[in-house]
Every structure is written in C-alpha cells, then in structure tokens.
Amino acid sequence: MELGGVLHEFTSDDTSHPRNSEIYGSLNEIGSQLRIAGYVPIISSELHNLTVEDKGYRLSYHGEKLAIAFGILVTPPGTTLRLANNLRICVDCHEFAKFVSSVYDRMVIIRDRSRFHHVRRGHCSCNDYW
C-alpha cells in the first residue's frame, strides 16, 4: 500500500512496521465490527494442516488484512484503499474486503496476480469469481 509517496509492505503475521501495535489493535477492532455485521472467517481457505483455532488465527493476520487495517487507521473516512498483492487473494481476505467496504463505507481496490478487485458496498467487480 502506498500512502503519501511511501510504500508500506505487509506479509502474514508481519511485525516489522513501525506502527505495528496500532495496526494490530485496529485490525482487532475492525474484526470485532465485522463479526457484528455477520463476517465469519472462511477457514477452508487455510490449507495448512492445523487445528481450527490455529487456522482462524493464521487467517486473521494475512498481509491484505494488515494493509487494510493500516489504511483505515491512517486515512480519513471515505478514502479509497488501494492495495497491490503479488499473490492471488484468498477467499477469506476477499470476503473481509467486502465487509470492510460495507461497514466502513470504503472503496477497496486490490490488485492481485490475476486481476483488479474493485470492492464497494459489499460487492466486488469480479462477482466473486477469480
């Protein structure tokens, strides 16, 4: 995610960002708000051989979610969030972005390795096909 001419990179479970504790706090608050709105993590998208709890934890801190939390933390309400991803976005992060766009009234644009996802008001331009 680029903000103010500065590139901010995030990976799963990333703790290297200078505002790490704020980002994780923001992500936890966002997760709480989204669960109230009906978001349920899609643990089937985590393919590692882990317990259900561990899969849920791993999914909670994907790089896309950290980047979205950072964007919400540092930009004014209503600002479009633009992310670039060198991998294909997972089903859970895609669903997370749809809920964020609806609950936080944000447009979220994610460029993954195969297409752009323009997410607005809970719907994605890919029509959930990617």
Side-chain angles (χ1 to χ4, degrees), residues 19-121:
R19 296 182 71 177
N20 178 52
S21 61
E22 293 173 272
I23 293 167
Y24 275 80
S26 176
L27 182 55
N28 290 333
E29 176 60 30
I30 292 166
S32 295
Q33 294 299 315
L34 298 189
R35 280 189 289 284
I36 290 169
Y39 167 74
V40 177
I42 303 170
I43 61 170
S44 62
S45 62
E46 178 57 59
L47 302 177
H48 294 96
N49 187 15
L50 301 168
T51 66
V52 171
E53 293 83 21
D54 287 341
K55 285 184 177 190
Y57 175 82
R58 287 257 180 118
L59 287 173
S60 297
Y61 302 110
H62 275 184
E64 296 92 328
K65 292 178 182 179
L66 293 171
I68 288 171
F70 175 70
I72 289 173
L73 179 67
V74 300
T75 61
T79 303
T80 297
L81 303 177
R82 292 179 172 84
L83 289 72
N85 188 356
N86 65 335
L87 302 171
R88 184 175 152 213
I89 188 169
C90 79
V91 175
D92 183 60
C93 288
H94 190 264
E95 194 69 14
F96 182 87
K98 288 174 19 184
F99 270 90
V100 164
S101 74
S102 180
V103 171
Y104 286 86
D105 194 27
R106 300 278 189 127
M107 175 129 184
V108 181
I109 301 172
I110 303 170
R111 172 65 175 145
D112 71 9
R113 72 176 170 97
S114 61
R115 68 177 32 95
F116 279 95
H117 298 268
H118 294 83
V119 187
R120 173 177 248 161
R121 295 186 189 109

